Amino acid sequence: MELEIQILNAEFACRCCGECCSGNDNEVMVSPDEIDLLCEATNLTLDQIAEPYPEWINDQGATFTFGRVLRRGEDGNCMFLKNNRCTVYEHRPHICRTYPFMLDGDRLLVFECSGCKSGEPTPDAELIARDLLARREAEDKEFLLTKEQYQKHSMVMGSTIIFDSRGAHQHK
Ligand code: SF4
Ligand code: SF4
């Protein structure tokens, strides 16, 4: 309830400006489950939809990263943004569902965007609160399972690996 009140007080109403889906600094992390949903909805493959998280780590002669992000077009916009609209709206990832909100533990963070401070209480605050809790649960689970995969993996010199909750994947 407290969370819902904080969301109401943020006075957020999306203006559909598309800014959060545009530009090179908006990396949208996607879990394997979310990628599955998008593959099913679009008939695209994992590699067509997502690329490795671009911060690579070098250790023990191997190169690796954790997780994947949605691919972007040459304009830097999310590949699913067309005419400022999300073409996979029903299947969009948790990050997109909850923007501009995020939970840091129990603390609500609100990123400034043109929909904030609209002058009216946030509509759908209850739904956003539910989505935020679902996102936190999914992200915590993904983090722990990915950590397990990393800890049990023996690095091979010269390999390039993407770790996620389902395993250690050789990057081609
Ligand atoms: S969430 Fe904010 S930045 Fe994104 S489309 Fe809505 S108003 Fe624009
Ligand atoms: S999936 Fe949709 S909501 Fe998410 S960044 Fe891409 S266009 Fe925006």
Side-chain angles (χ1 to χ4, degrees):
M1 201 58 188
E2 172 64 22
L3 176 61
E4 201 179 312
I5 290 167
Q6 289 178 51
I7 296 169
L8 279 169
N9 290 343
E11 300 184 348
F12 167 72
C14 183
R15 297 164 69 96
C16 299
C17 66
E19 264 173 45
C20 55
C21 314
S22 324
N24 281 313
D25 55 351
N26 69 333
E27 272 149 9
V28 177
M29 290 290 297
V30 265
S31 69
D33 289 350
E34 290 175 321
I35 295 172
D36 279 353
L37 271 181
L38 288 167
C39 287
E40 209 173 299
T42 60
N43 279 329
L44 296 172
T45 64
L46 179 155
D47 286 328
Q48 287 172 317
I49 287 173
E51 60 188 351
Y53 183 70
E55 276 182 29
W56 293 94
I57 298 163
N58 294 300
D59 191 27
Q60 303 168 53
T63 305
F64 54 91
T65 191
F66 297 97
R68 294 183 175 83
V69 295
L70 285 183
R71 284 195 184 277
R72 290 182 287 221
E74 280 176 13
D75 53 6
N77 299 346
C78 174
M79 64 176 284
F80 294 119
L81 186 70
K82 300 278 178 305
N83 301 320
N84 260 6
R85 289 285 183 274
C86 176
T87 55
V88 290
Y89 191 77
E90 293 301 319
H91 309 282
R92 68 200 189 288
H94 283 296
I95 287 184
C96 308
R97 279 176 195 281
T98 51
Y99 193 84
F101 301 101
M102 180 184 164
L103 282 175
D104 177 15
D106 286 332
R107 198 161 66 101
L108 180 71
L109 305 181
V110 188
F111 299 98
E112 279 300 317
C113 82
S114 58
C116 292
K117 313 233 168 48
S118 66
E120 298 287 338
T122 305
D124 297 331
E126 190 186 343
L127 178 65
I128 296 171
R130 263 207 313 270
D131 282 345
L132 274 169
L133 294 173
R135 171 181 169 185
R136 185 176 65 184
E137 190 182 336
E139 285 178 350
D140 287 353
K141 189 171 153 210
E142 183 66 24
F143 174 81
L144 286 175
L145 291 173
T146 301
K147 190 170 154 196
E148 259 176 40
Q149 295 293 343
Y150 170 68
Q151 286 172 335
K152 74 180 189 197
H153 183 75
S154 305
M155 294 293 180
V156 175
M157 189 83 88
S159 61
T160 305
I161 303 290
I162 307 158
F163 289 103
D164 65 20
S165 56
R166 296 186 188 172
H169 312 277
Q170 188 70 46
H171 181 49
K172 299 146 209 149

